[in-house]
Amino acid sequence: MARDVTIGELAAHVGDEVTIRGWLHNLRSSGKVAFLIVRDGMGQVQGVVSAGDVSAEVWAGLESLAYEASLKITGTVREDERAPGGYELSLSDVELLGPSAGDYPIQLKEHGVDFLLEHRHLWLRSPKQVAIMRVRDEVVKAIRDFLYERGFVNVDTPILTGAIGESAGTLFETEYFDLGSAYLAQTGQLYNEATAAALGRVYCFGPTFRAEKSKTRRHLTEFWMLEPEVAWCDSECNMRLQEDLVCYIVGMVVERCRNLLEDALERDISKLEAVQSPFPRLSYSESIERLQSLGSSIQWGEDLGAEDETLVAQDYDRPVFVYNYPKTAKAFYMKENPEDPRTVLCDDLIAPEGYGEIIGGSQREDDYDRLLARIREEGLPEESYGWYLDLRRYGTYTHSGFGLGLERTVAWICGVPHIRECIAFPRTLNRLYP
Ligand code: 4AD
Ligand code: MG
C-alpha cells in the first residue's frame, strides 16, 4: 500500500511508493509521456507518467485536467537533481479529486493588480504570494521568540476601545449599546502602559485599525502591529531594543527563508545581510537640515512625509533612527524632552530602499500635570483618560515602548513594493472583498 506523504517529506521515501494530494500546477504531454507538476502547499513535485504505466481510462482523463484541479497521485519516488525540489515521482495512478473549471482566472501572464486583488482568494496560491505568507510567519515567530527570551509577557489588549489611542482623524467608530461610541483600536499601547506596571515587560500583537483616507503603498486600514512596553526604560534603551529586535528578525528570516527570498521573491540578500547594529541616528533637527540640503521643502515643525523618509534613508544601507520630533507632529502621550521642550523623546525607525517608517516609538509622559495639559491641548475628552492618568498618580514610572508595523516590515524584507501583498486579505480605502 502506498503511503500518504507530503511533498516536504519525500526525502525520507526514496524508492518507496507514495501518495500525495495536491493541486495541478502544470501539465505537459508529448502524446506518450506526460509531466505533471503538483503542489501541496508545502512544496512542488514533478510526476512523470507514460501511456503504458496507467489504465487507459486514467491516461485519457489526463487530457481534460485543468489547471488547479485537485488530485491524488501515486508513484515511486526517485531522486533527480534537475527536478524542482530534487525529487520526481514515476506515477502509477492519477485520481481526480476535485475538477477545476477550465477558466481558472489566474494564468501565467501578467494581470493588473485590481484583477489580482479581486481574485485574492486564488492569487494566494501563486509561488510569490506563498513565499510572502511564509516570510510573514517567520517574522512573527522571530518576534515572539526574541521577546520571550527577554522576559516579555504577551498581554492582548482590547479591539473595542473607549478612548482614542492615537488621533481623532483616523478612527473607526461604532455604536456601543447604551454607552455611546466605541472605537476600533488604533493601538494597544495605553492599555499596556497599565500592564507594564504589573508585569515589567509586556507586548501586544494584533490587528490595528485606522480609517486612513490615503491610497499609498504603505497604508492599510487594518494592519498588524507589535507593541512592546517596558518599565524603567528610557528613550535610549527603547532605541537599543528596536535595533536588536530588527537585527534579530532579519537574521532569522535570512537564515530560515533564504531559498524563498532568492527564488520566489528574487530578493537581493546582500541588502538584508547589511542590516547590523548599530543603526545610524539623526536628531529630527539634523534630518531637517539634511532634507533641505537635498532639496525638500520641509520646514522645522512638520512631520516627515513619505518622500522625506525615502530621502533621509538613501544615505544608509540599514535602517536609520530619526529621534526627538517636535511635539506638534506627534501623539499626546510622548514625554517632553527636558533639553528642548519644543520636542518629545521619540523615534521613528526608517527602513532603507524607500520602505519608510517601520517603527514609531517613544518614552511616555510620566508626569501627571504635563500629561493632563497635553490631553487638554489636543482637545481629547478628559473623562475617557481617568484610568490612564491614574497610572501617573499611583507610582508613576519611567517607561517606553514602540509599535512595529508587521506588513511594512514584511514588505521591506521581501522587497515587495506595496504592503497590500503582505497580508492575506488586505483592507484598504476601496477594498473590503474578498
Ligand atoms: O507610529 P505609530 O502610529 O505608533 C503607534 O501606534 C504607537 N502607539 C506605537 C507604540 O509606541 N506602542 O504606528 C506604529 C507603526 C508604524 O511605524 C508603521 O510601521 C505601522 O505601525 N503603521 C501602519 N502600517 C500599515 N498601515 C497603516 N495605516 C499604518 N499606520 C501605522
Ligand atoms: Mg508613526
Side-chain angles (χ1 to χ4, degrees):
M1 252 284 283
R3 253 197 57 198
D4 276 339
V5 301
T6 66
I7 293 172
E9 294 164 345
L10 288 178
H13 294 282
V14 176
D16 297 346
E17 181 160 77
V18 299
T19 292
I20 286 170
R21 290 175 172 79
W23 293 263
L24 182 65
H25 185 65
N26 201 356
L27 174 67
R28 284 184 294 124
S29 174
S30 70
K32 290 203 172 73
V33 187
F35 300 89
L36 288 74
I37 296 183
V38 172
R39 56 165 196 89
D40 71 349
M42 280 159 278
Q44 275 191 8
V45 69
Q46 175 162 282
V48 185
V49 54
S50 305
D53 296 343
V54 290
S55 69
E57 201 188 337
V58 167
W59 181 256
L62 291 181
E63 233 167 74
S64 57
L65 283 185
Y67 196 44
E68 291 299 320
S70 57
L71 305 173
K72 180 173 145 189
I73 59 172
T74 301
T76 306
V77 184
R78 277 193 287 115
E79 238 169 321
D80 186 339
E81 269 179 21
R82 296 157 305 167
Y87 301 94
E88 199 169 72
L89 292 183
S90 305
L91 296 180
S92 54
D93 194 23
V94 176
E95 188 185 327
L96 178 61
L97 300 177
S100 177
D103 56 354
Y104 188 70
I106 302 196
Q107 303 295 325
L108 294 173
K109 70 172 174 113
E110 294 280 312
H111 291 288
V113 76
D114 277 331
F115 180 88
L116 289 170
L117 285 167
E118 207 58 34
H119 297 88
R120 183 65 174 161
H121 50 298
L122 301 175
W123 186 22
L124 288 171
R125 299 182 187 187
S126 61
K128 183 175 167 198
Q129 300 306 316
V130 165
I132 296 170
M133 287 188 282
R134 286 196 180 277
V135 168
R136 179 181 164 118
D137 178 57
E138 284 295 350
V139 170
V140 171
K141 175 166 167 52
I143 286 171
R144 292 199 186 271
D145 287 350
F146 175 93
L147 293 170
Y148 184 84
E149 288 304 317
R150 282 160 186 75
F152 281 77
V153 178
N154 179 203
V155 179
D156 295 313
T157 50
I159 301 292
L160 288 167
T161 70
I164 299 171
E166 288 293 323
S167 71
T170 60
L171 285 174
F172 280 111
E173 196 171 340
T174 179
E175 249 173 71
Y176 197 79
F177 307 108
D178 296 333
L179 299 182
S181 286
Y183 311 112
L184 296 186
Q186 292 177 314
T187 172
Q189 174 200 322
L190 277 57
Y191 298 99
N192 271 345
E193 288 185 56
T195 66
L199 293 156
R201 297 178 176 188
V202 296
Y203 72 95
C204 56
F205 196 174
T208 310
F209 305 88
R210 303 215 181 151
E212 305 272 8
K213 304 229 166 54
S214 48
K215 285 195 246 172
T216 78
R217 62 196 190 88
R218 296 176 187 173
H219 287 96
L220 297 169
T221 54
E222 177 176 330
F223 62 98
W224 278 61
M225 181 158 59
L226 162 74
E227 294 184 276
E229 194 67 31
V230 192
W232 314 115
C233 178
D234 63 8
S235 188
E236 168 63 32
C237 146
N238 195 27
M239 284 193 268
R240 276 203 309 272
L241 182 66
Q242 293 164 44
E243 190 172 282
D244 288 349
L245 172 66
V246 170
C247 289
Y248 184 84
I249 294 171
V250 173
M252 278 311 195
V253 174
V254 168
E255 187 182 315
R256 293 186 177 144
C257 302
R258 185 174 280 273
N259 290 344
L260 291 175
L261 289 169
E262 275 175 349
D263 302 339
L265 295 163
E266 297 176 15
R267 184 70 168 114
D268 178 353
I269 293 206
S270 69
K271 293 235 161 64
L272 298 175
E273 284 168 338
V275 179
Q276 304 284 342
S277 58
F279 293 169
R281 295 183 187 190
L282 289 177
S283 71
Y284 170 82
S285 297
E286 286 168 336
S287 78
I288 295 301
E289 275 171 34
R290 177 69 185 138
L291 283 168
Q292 288 174 345
S293 79
L294 291 169
S296 168
S297 59
I298 193 167
Q299 296 299 316
W300 199 99
E302 294 169 4
D303 203 356
L304 272 59
E307 279 174 30
D308 298 314
E309 288 177 357
T310 301
L311 273 181
V312 159
Q314 79 183 13
D315 292 339
Y316 310 101
D317 64 349
R318 61 197 74 189
V320 53
F321 285 111
V322 177
Y323 63 92
N324 295 3
Y325 283 65
K327 204 181 269 179
T328 48
K330 292 289 174 189
F332 69 96
Y333 51 71
M334 296 186 180
K335 186 173 177 62
E336 187 177 286
N337 177 6
E339 282 165 23
D340 179 359
R342 296 175 307 161
T343 64
V344 285
L345 298 175
C346 72
D347 68 86
D348 279 359
L349 184 65
I350 300 173
E353 302 174 73
Y355 283 92
E357 176 198 333
I358 52 171
I359 291 181
S362 66
Q363 189 170 331
R364 317 307 189 189
E365 185 54 81
D366 46 30
D367 180 86
Y368 181 91
D369 295 321
R370 283 210 194 93
L371 181 59
L372 182 58
R374 286 290 291 133
I375 288 172
R376 288 180 177 158
E377 263 169 44
E378 294 287 318
L380 293 166
E382 214 173 300
E383 60 286 0
S384 309
Y385 294 91
W387 67 272
Y388 187 61
L389 284 158
D390 265 358
L391 307 175
R392 281 74 181 165
R393 291 179 65 221
Y394 300 106
T396 194
Y397 67 118
T398 302
H399 60 295
S400 302
F402 61 89
L404 172 141
L406 180 61
E407 291 77 16
R408 289 195 195 174
T409 304
V410 172
W412 162 51
I413 292 175
C414 291
V416 172
H418 201 302
I419 68 169
R420 65 188 160 211
E421 285 185 54
C422 297
I423 186 164
F425 294 97
R427 294 290 170 255
T428 54
L429 186 56
N430 49 17
R431 185 161 298 282
L432 200 53
Y433 175 93

